[in-house]
Amino acid sequence: MSTHFIYDERLGIRLPHLEKAWEMYTKEEQAAILLEWETIRGKIPDRIIELEQQINEKQRQLGEENDFARSCTLNSEIASLASIINDLWIWYRMNQTVTNRIHQ
C-alpha cells in the first residue's frame, strides 16, 4: 500500500493524498499512482452496493417502526448513507475524467 493514498473512514475507501503537484512526480510514479487508483476506483461500485443494502434494511425497519424517535434516527442514518453514496459517485466520476486527461 503506497503513501499516496489514505483511508477515509467515512467513505470506506482509500483516497488520493498527493504531497506534491502531479507534474513533480516521475512518469513511473504517475503510472503507479494511477494503477493503484484504478484498483481502488474499481471497488467503489461494490462499496455503493453495500451501502444501498444497508439503506434498504433501514427503510424496511422504518416501514415497521412505530416509535417516532427511532423513526427519526433511522431517517438520519439513511440520509447519512445516501450522502456517502453521493460522495463515492463523485470520486468515481471525477477521477475518471482526471485519469483520462492524464493518459492523453
Side-chain angles (χ1 to χ4, degrees):
M1 180 173 7
S2 81
T3 60
H4 299 110
F5 296 86
I6 56 172
Y7 186 76
D8 184 285
E9 198 69 39
R10 179 176 168 270
L11 299 181
I13 63 168
R14 292 181 302 131
L15 295 177
H17 180 73
L18 303 180
E19 297 184 1
K20 54 187 176 182
W22 182 252
E23 299 78 27
M24 300 300 293
Y25 291 97
T26 66
K27 293 293 180 190
E28 292 79 17
E29 289 172 317
Q30 289 178 359
I33 292 167
L34 288 174
L35 179 62
E36 187 169 356
W37 171 245
E38 284 304 313
T39 300
I40 295 166
R41 189 175 161 272
K43 296 176 184 176
I44 290 176
D46 293 334
R47 176 73 178 130
I48 290 171
I49 289 170
E50 290 173 17
L51 296 169
E52 287 173 339
Q53 290 171 344
Q54 292 177 32
I55 287 174
N56 290 338
E57 175 57 24
K58 291 183 184 300
Q59 287 176 326
R60 186 197 63 71
Q61 292 174 17
L62 185 59
E64 299 172 359
E65 189 58 60
N66 293 321
D67 179 55
F68 180 73
R70 177 69 180 137
S71 294
C72 290
T73 299
L74 286 168
N75 270 321
S76 177
E77 291 171 356
I78 290 168
S80 177
L81 291 169
S83 174
I84 294 168
I85 289 172
N86 184 59
D87 290 349
L88 286 168
W89 277 125
I90 289 170
W91 273 103
Y92 185 78
R93 291 184 181 124
M94 177 181 64
N95 285 293
Q96 179 179 15
T97 304
V98 171
T99 300
N100 289 340
R101 284 188 192 158
I102 291 168
H103 283 300
Q104 291 177 348

